[in-house]
Each structure stands twice: as structure tokens, then as C-alpha cells.
Amino acid sequence: MLSYKTIKFVKSSTIFIEGQEPKYTFYIIKKGSVMVYSYFADNYTVEYKEGEIIGLFNAVLNEPYFSTVKSLEDVEVIEMNINEIEKIDNMNLINKIYDYLIINIERWLKRYYYFLHKENSPYYTSENNKNIIDMCQIYYQNGFDDAAYKLYQEYIALNPNDENKKEELNNLLKNIKPMPEPEIIEGNIYKYKKGFCLYTELQGTNNLYMIKYGKIGVYNIFNSTQVTRRILSAESVLNGYTPMSKNDQYLFTTAIVLEDSIIQLIKKEDAMSIVQSDRTLRLYFVKMMSMRIYSTISRIRVFNANNIVSKFVIIIEALIKTEFLFKSFMKIKFQYNINDICSMIGVEYNQNIENEILKIKSLEISSEGYLIINSIDEFYKEYEIYKQRNSYKIEN
């Protein structure tokens, strides 16, 4: 039996404000509409109406609200504690929560790319993001041959009559051979070789990828530059679904196996059945998706930072929170290297940048370029210092 209470707000009321603690509760709008104001993101606003959810990802992570919410008319909401999520039997409500999280992931990603382009227009070119030749060349130059090959094959399948482009792509990729298909271990569990491209920006999949062992990199091409979206390792889950906002091509990604990996594939319809029956797994997915929203918002906050060190501090703090979502460590070696982080914030790596970020005393860079935090406690001491030094706000 679900436990909740109904709360009423009159028109123009403030339902919650940026920085307020969520106390593990979120709201489902029963009547009326509200406006969400995100002042840190260039006064970004979104309207939510009857039947929609507000404040869920903050409540799940117990992170202060990133935005201020005001009622546009008399509003009635259902207040629910996150512990009730495991008790939900109504599949429509489960789907509503899932859709809320997906929509918010995509909304904040759109806003992130808005800032990435706005902040770095002198660095980025104005060429078409999705020029297939550019995409193939970039992935090929970065050592991802299978991604380049699959993009080429998919483009030809989608555009069979484009002979001019086909000839150009044939010349570009004439020396690339396709990688062997994954080896079936049992059922829907496969062994993938390093470099195998799971899917590309031209076509999503209908699969969830549960990593049993290994590592996957998720990327896309934005303004003729490869951007690192996520690096996932063992016990992580990758959603390969086509974005709900199908017209926003920069939301599409390419997923590449970065080391020999064992991965379980789960179809979307099977995943929803599992989430309905396995209540513990349900909360796991909700937390995981909520953390994706938090990480994306942290990337947006980077563009308010006034120096490279502060930008890296913000990104690293979000990476630590992601690692701490289900387990804790005293020391972390991230799956991200320095080039990955630079691509996230739209700067080109050079030695000066490395010298700057090594001013973070708790940070070390391995010989392969991977970031290491030697002491979580010491990092957070530095994090607090940077919060005080800078004029922008880093909400913890």
C-alpha cells in the first residue's frame, strides 16, 4: 500500500527553491501547472503540467534542488517518499517515473550542448555535426575503426542512391576490416573484443547492456569534435535506446568496447518486466538515471567556472558521486583520462592544462593519462576551498 499525502499551493506560490533540501520526497502534479526556473543555466525554464513529476532525481540522490519551482495557477500535488518507489505496483506509474527521468536526461543534455557550443564557438567549427565523412574520419583518427566502418555501412544502407558519397567513403575506409561478431557465452551474454562498436549515432538499439566485465565508452561527434559522454565499467548498465527527442541528433551516441568485455543484452520490453517484478533493481535504475542528470547538470555548471582548475574540480566531484552511488572507496582511479575530461568541457588538451589541474593536490595523472584521486577526504577539503574562492556557486 502506497503512503503519500496531498498538498495544495495557491497561484504564484514557491513550491521549492534552488538549494533547498529535498528530504527524500518528490511530487506528482495532481492538478494545475508549475514552472521550473534554472537560473544557473541562463534562466532556463520548463513548464510541468498535471500528471507530471517534479523533484524526483534530487530526492533520490538527496541533493539540494538545482532549480526553483513556482505554481502558475492553483496547484495540487501528491508528495511521495522515494522509499515508496519499491512498493509501486501500477505499471503506468512506473512508466511515468521512467519517462520523467529519460525526458530530464535529454532536456539537460540539450542544455549542455547549448553551453558547449556557446562557450567554445571560437574553438569549434560551424560545420554540420552529422556530416558522415567527418564522423568516420574522426572516429578513425581516434583509433575507433569499427565505429567508422559501421557508420559507413549504415549510411550506405540509409542512402543507397548517394553514389558520390559512397565513393568518397569507400576511399576513406578501404583499409578497414569489420571486427568479428561477439562470441556467445550463454543465453544473451556475449564476449566482445576491444574496439567493437555496439551501436552508432545513426541508429540506436532496443537493448540495455549490462556490463559483467570490461569497459564501454560512449561518445558522439559535436561540431566536428569527439565528445566523451560516459565511460562505463563492470556492474554498470548502458541504455542503447533511441532518444525520445528523435530530431535532436546530438543526443544520439556511439558506444565502443574499450577492452575485452563480457556483456549481457536485455531487450527493452524485458527490462520493463524485470523492473516491475524486481523492486530492488527498480530503485537501482532510478538512482542510476538520476545520477546521469546530476552529472549533466555538473557539466553545465562548469561553464560558470572562471578557470581550468575549478572546471576540473566540478567534473571530478560529479565523477566521485557517480562512483559512490552504490559503493565507497578511499581512493579512486577513474575510467576517464584527461582527454575525456577536456572533451566534456570543450577545451583542447595541452601541457599547460595538465600543469594547471595538477594544482589539485589530491589528484594524480597516471602514465596512461587516467585521473586518480588518492584521498577522497583530501579532495573534498580542496573542493570546499574552491567553492569559497570562486564567485560562481558549486552546489554540493
Side-chain angles (χ1 to χ4, degrees):
M1 185 73 178
L2 290 176
S3 175
Y4 59 85
K5 65 180 180 179
T6 299
I7 305 174
K8 295 182 179 180
F9 297 92
V10 299
K11 181 180 179 180
S12 301
S13 295
T14 299
I15 296 174
F16 53 76
I17 63 173
E18 180 182 359
Q20 180 181 339
E21 298 288 338
K23 298 180 181 178
Y24 298 103
T25 58
F26 62 97
Y27 302 117
I28 302 172
I29 302 173
K30 187 176 180 181
K31 178 183 176 183
S33 59
V34 304
M35 187 68 78
V36 178
Y37 300 88
S38 301
Y39 303 114
F40 72 92
D42 268 11
N43 298 320
Y44 179 53
T45 59
V46 178
E47 183 178 350
Y48 286 80
K49 299 179 180 180
E50 183 178 318
E52 296 189 288
I53 300 172
I54 52 175
L56 175 60
F57 61 87
N58 296 93
V60 169
L61 301 175
N62 198 33
E63 287 291 330
Y65 293 117
F66 301 108
S67 306
T68 296
V69 178
K70 297 181 180 180
S71 58
L72 295 175
E73 55 190 308
D74 289 353
V75 169
E76 194 172 317
V77 301
I78 294 172
E79 183 185 67
M80 189 176 293
N81 191 283
I82 61 167
N83 293 325
E84 300 299 308
I85 293 174
E86 293 185 349
K87 302 176 185 177
I88 297 172
D89 291 315
N90 186 317
M91 195 62 186
N92 288 332
L93 184 52
I94 294 173
N95 284 327
K96 189 184 293 290
I97 290 172
Y98 172 81
D99 288 345
Y100 161 86
L101 292 167
I102 287 292
I103 288 169
N104 270 276
I105 288 171
E106 294 186 6
R107 280 176 176 162
W108 284 112
L109 279 170
K110 290 180 197 176
R111 205 61 184 167
Y112 163 66
Y113 283 110
Y114 158 81
F115 278 97
L116 192 60
H117 180 75
K118 176 183 174 182
E119 186 76 9
N120 298 283
S121 54
Y123 165 58
Y124 289 129
T125 71
S126 58
E127 299 169 13
N128 183 356
N129 292 342
K130 297 304 173 186
N131 182 302
I132 189 67
I133 300 292
D134 284 352
M135 292 172 68
C136 288
Q137 286 180 330
I138 291 165
Y139 283 121
Y140 178 65
Q141 289 167 1
N142 289 338
F144 296 140
D145 294 13
D146 198 48
Y149 182 85
K150 284 189 168 71
L151 281 164
Y152 155 69
Q153 294 292 335
E154 289 168 1
Y155 182 85
I156 295 301
L158 293 169
N159 302 276
N161 298 320
D162 193 348
E163 292 298 326
N164 292 332
K165 187 81 71 171
K166 182 176 180 180
E167 182 179 352
E168 192 173 357
L169 283 163
N170 273 326
N171 289 332
L172 172 66
L173 302 175
K174 60 185 178 183
N175 295 320
I176 299 179
K177 295 181 179 180
M179 289 195 66
E181 290 300 308
E183 172 189 346
I184 298 177
I185 296 178
E186 61 173 305
N188 59 348
I189 301 176
Y190 298 83
K191 181 177 181 180
Y192 290 85
K193 290 290 187 182
K194 177 181 178 180
F196 188 90
C197 179
L198 297 172
Y199 58 84
T200 74
E201 286 148 84
L202 295 186
Q203 292 184 335
T205 73
N206 193 38
N207 292 324
L208 281 177
Y209 298 87
M210 301 187 72
I211 307 172
K212 302 293 186 181
Y213 171 84
K215 184 164 64 172
I216 297 174
V218 184
Y219 310 92
N220 67 348
I221 305 302
F222 181 73
N223 285 2
S224 298
T225 301
Q226 181 180 306
V227 176
T228 300
R229 287 277 287 267
R230 288 188 294 158
I231 305 292
L232 299 99
S233 55
E235 300 181 24
S236 298
V237 179
L238 170 63
N239 175 353
Y241 306 156
T242 300
M244 296 177 70
S245 304
K246 294 182 180 180
N247 293 327
D248 294 308
Q249 287 298 308
Y250 47 80
L251 296 180
F252 288 71
T253 56
T254 292
I256 301 166
V257 177
L258 299 181
E259 59 184 45
D260 290 354
S261 301
I262 297 174
I263 302 170
Q264 181 178 3
L265 274 60
I266 301 177
K267 295 294 183 184
K268 184 175 183 178
E269 53 272 20
D270 296 333
M272 294 310 295
S273 297
I274 293 171
V275 167
Q276 184 179 19
S277 59
D278 190 330
R279 299 173 189 272
T280 302
L281 188 61
R282 181 189 307 171
L283 193 56
Y284 169 86
F285 279 119
V286 170
K287 286 183 177 180
M288 181 182 66
M289 294 167 73
S290 296
M291 184 53 70
R292 283 193 62 191
I293 299 171
Y294 179 88
S295 298
T296 304
I297 289 174
S298 293
R299 295 190 190 194
I300 293 171
R301 290 187 179 278
V302 161
F303 298 110
N304 292 324
N306 51 23
N307 58 64
I308 289 294
V309 179
S310 298
K311 291 177 186 290
F312 266 76
V313 166
I314 297 171
I315 290 291
I316 291 170
E317 192 271 344
L319 294 180
I320 289 174
K321 273 196 167 65
T322 301
E323 295 288 339
F324 270 40
L325 193 56
F326 300 108
K327 53 186 123 176
S328 60
F329 308 88
M330 296 301 295
K331 174 180 178 177
I332 296 179
K333 181 177 181 180
F334 294 112
Q335 303 293 332
Y336 297 85
N337 61 41
I338 191 168
N339 286 305
D340 291 325
I341 306 299
C342 285
S343 79
M344 292 178 188
I345 60 178
V347 299
E348 288 186 287
Y349 167 76
N350 58 51
Q351 189 60 49
N352 288 335
I353 285 179
E354 182 169 334
N355 293 339
E356 281 295 305
I357 66 171
L358 285 175
K359 291 178 181 178
I360 305 171
K361 296 179 182 178
S362 56
L363 174 70
E364 180 183 333
I365 300 174
S366 74
S367 57
E368 302 91 0
Y370 291 97
L371 304 185
I372 301 170
I373 296 296
N374 289 306
S375 169
I376 303 301
D377 291 340
E378 289 303 313
F379 170 80
Y380 272 102
K381 289 178 184 177
E382 294 185 87
Y383 177 75
E384 292 298 325
I385 291 171
Y386 279 98
K387 280 175 63 177
Q388 298 299 321
R389 282 183 183 174
N390 292 276
S391 56
Y392 65 90
K393 293 197 302 181
I394 311 174
E395 298 295 345
N396 190 13

